[in-house]
Amino acid sequence: MAISDTAKLAIYNGAMRRLGSRELASLTEAREPRRVLDGLWGSDNRLVKLALERGEWNFAIRAVEGTYSESITPTFGFRRAYDKPGDMRRLAALCPDEYFQTPLVNSQYTDEAGYWFTDSDTLFIRYVSDHTSYGLDSGKWTEAFRDYLECDLAWGACERITNSGAKRDRLERDRMMALKTAKSHDAMQEGVKFPPRGKWAQSRGGWNNGWGRN
């Protein structure tokens, strides 16, 4: 799926209500407020993509196995260069194992020129995706995330539609609170997380829970 017109219109009208303006009858209604909202939303769903970058949203999390580029041979340092997924908005974890139990730390990889460089011959990537089956599937959005989109859209459109700086300040507070609430609600959907195992714990065969796949 992708972002449905029904979901998009509902968010537009949620933003209009927050602005104290009359709601839209459709996404093609010939009114200036609709054109303002269209510009903020973006033809490429820019508003949603920016929102996806602001949290590790469970509904948008994707896990894939990376493939290192055989055409790139570093002359020094890390041996492998892995391409970044084209639909990635935010990285959640890089791991050499498919169960995401031992995330790589900064000293084990570097991010340069659109690649991840590491010595690992295998790399599993967990990230927030803007694919239409993940982050850009409006059917997967939580109500709290929708509320945040409404607040963000209303805040961005406020001065153009209402010409009120005071209202924009209030919407800024609402926007930040909506983001905090959405991230909190999303985190509640996760299982218990444990810190990555250190080498000593691994050698002792300690607990084996960790970064689980959602």
Side-chain angles (χ1 to χ4, degrees), residues 2 18 43 45 57 78 84 150 171 173 177 196 213:
R18 294 175 189 275
S43 59
N45 301 305
W57 310 105
F78 295 120
K84 294 182 179 180
E150 288 180 11
L171 286 169
R173 292 191 295 270
M177 180 58 68
R213 183 189 302 271

Side-chain angles (χ1 to χ4, degrees), residues 40-42 45-52 54 149 152-153:
L40 292 167
W41 188 278
N45 301 305
R46 178 176 178 273
L47 184 95
V48 182
K49 291 178 179 179
L50 289 174
L52 291 173
R54 296 183 176 123
L149 291 178
D152 195 29
L153 192 57

Side-chain angles (χ1 to χ4, degrees), residues 64-68 80-83 91 93-98 100 104 108-109 115-118 120-126:
V64 300
E65 181 176 3
T67 301
Y68 62 81
R80 303 298 189 201
Y82 288 84
D83 289 300
L91 178 65
L94 294 176
C95 296
D97 67 288
E98 61 186 298
F100 293 90
L104 298 181
Q108 295 174 301
Y109 75 96
Y115 295 93
W116 289 304
F117 290 89
T118 180
S120 179
D121 290 329
T122 59
L123 190 69
F124 293 87
I125 310 157
R126 190 170 182 267

Side-chain angles (χ1 to χ4, degrees), residues 4-5 9 11 17 22 36 49 53 59 61 69 83 109 158-159 174 182 184-185 195 205 210 213-214:
S4 70
D5 286 346
L9 180 60
I11 291 167
R17 287 192 298 272
R22 179 167 60 88
V36 171
K49 291 178 179 179
E53 293 178 0
F59 63 81
I61 286 289
S69 175
D83 289 300
Y109 75 96
C158 186
E159 289 194 36
D174 291 347
S184 176
H185 285 193
R213 183 189 302 271
N214 285 337

